[in-house]
Amino acid sequence: MQIPGAIIRQKTDFGDATGLGKISGEYFSLSAGVDTTPLFMGLEGNLCQCPHWGFLLSGQLTTTDASGIEEVVDANELFYWPSGHNVKVNADAEIVMFSPQHEHTHVINHMIEKTKG
C-alpha cells in the first residue's frame, strides 16, 4: 500500500504463532506528521485492534492507547503495541513489524478503503 507520507510492505504467511495464527512480516516507511487516527475511524474503538511486535530502524513514533496513555518509541528500539492503539510519526521512520496476519490485513484493507475517499 502506498499513500501520501507512507509506504507499507507486508509479507504474508511469514510464520505461525500459537494462538495467533499466521504472522505477517511488515516493513513500513512513514513520513513525519503521519497520524493513523483518521485511518482507523470506523474500526472498533477507532483504534488498530491488532497487536504488533517490531523494531524501529530510524525515526520516532508515539502511540496512544484507548485510555490516552502515550508511549514514545525511538530509533533502534524494540516495541510491542497491544491491540487498541493509534500511531503518530514524530520523525521520518522505518519500521519492521510482525503482526497476526488476519487481524492486520483487516486493518490495512480498512486503511486502503479510507484513502479512497
Side-chain angles (χ1 to χ4, degrees), residues 4 14 16 21 26 30 35 44 50 54 61-62 73 76 82 92 101-102 108:
F14 190 73
D16 187 28
E26 299 141 355
L30 303 169
D35 181 350
E44 181 184 338
C50 179
L61 309 168
T62 299
V73 180
N76 298 313
D92 291 354
Q101 180 174 310
H102 177 75
I108 289 171

Side-chain angles (χ1 to χ4, degrees), residues 28 35-37 39-41 43-53 62-71 79-88 97 99-100 104 107:
F28 286 21
D35 181 350
T36 62
T37 303
L39 294 174
F40 295 159
M41 297 300 287
L43 293 173
E44 181 184 338
N46 297 320
L47 302 166
C48 178
Q49 295 298 331
C50 179
H52 309 287
W53 296 262
T62 299
T63 59
T64 306
D65 69 15
S67 61
I69 296 173
E70 293 185 346
E71 175 188 356
F79 61 84
Y80 167 68
W81 299 334
S83 299
H85 61 270
N86 273 308
V87 178
K88 291 183 183 175
M97 288 195 323
S99 310
H104 205 216
V107 173

Side-chain angles (χ1 to χ4, degrees), residues 30-33 58-60 89-94:
L30 303 169
S31 296
S58 63
Q60 185 186 65
V89 182
N90 305 328
D92 291 354
E94 300 286 325

Side-chain angles (χ1 to χ4, degrees), residues 7-23:
I7 300 171
I8 299 172
R9 303 160 189 95
Q10 182 185 36
K11 168 69 175 133
T12 58
D13 298 326
F14 190 73
D16 187 28
T18 302
L20 294 173
K22 291 186 180 192
I23 296 293

Side-chain angles (χ1 to χ4, degrees), residues 92-113:
D92 291 354
E94 300 286 325
I95 309 166
V96 174
M97 288 195 323
F98 303 93
S99 310
Q101 180 174 310
H102 177 75
E103 288 87 344
H104 205 216
T105 297
H106 172 72
V107 173
I108 289 171
N109 288 341
H110 179 84
M111 290 190 297
I112 290 168
E113 288 301 313

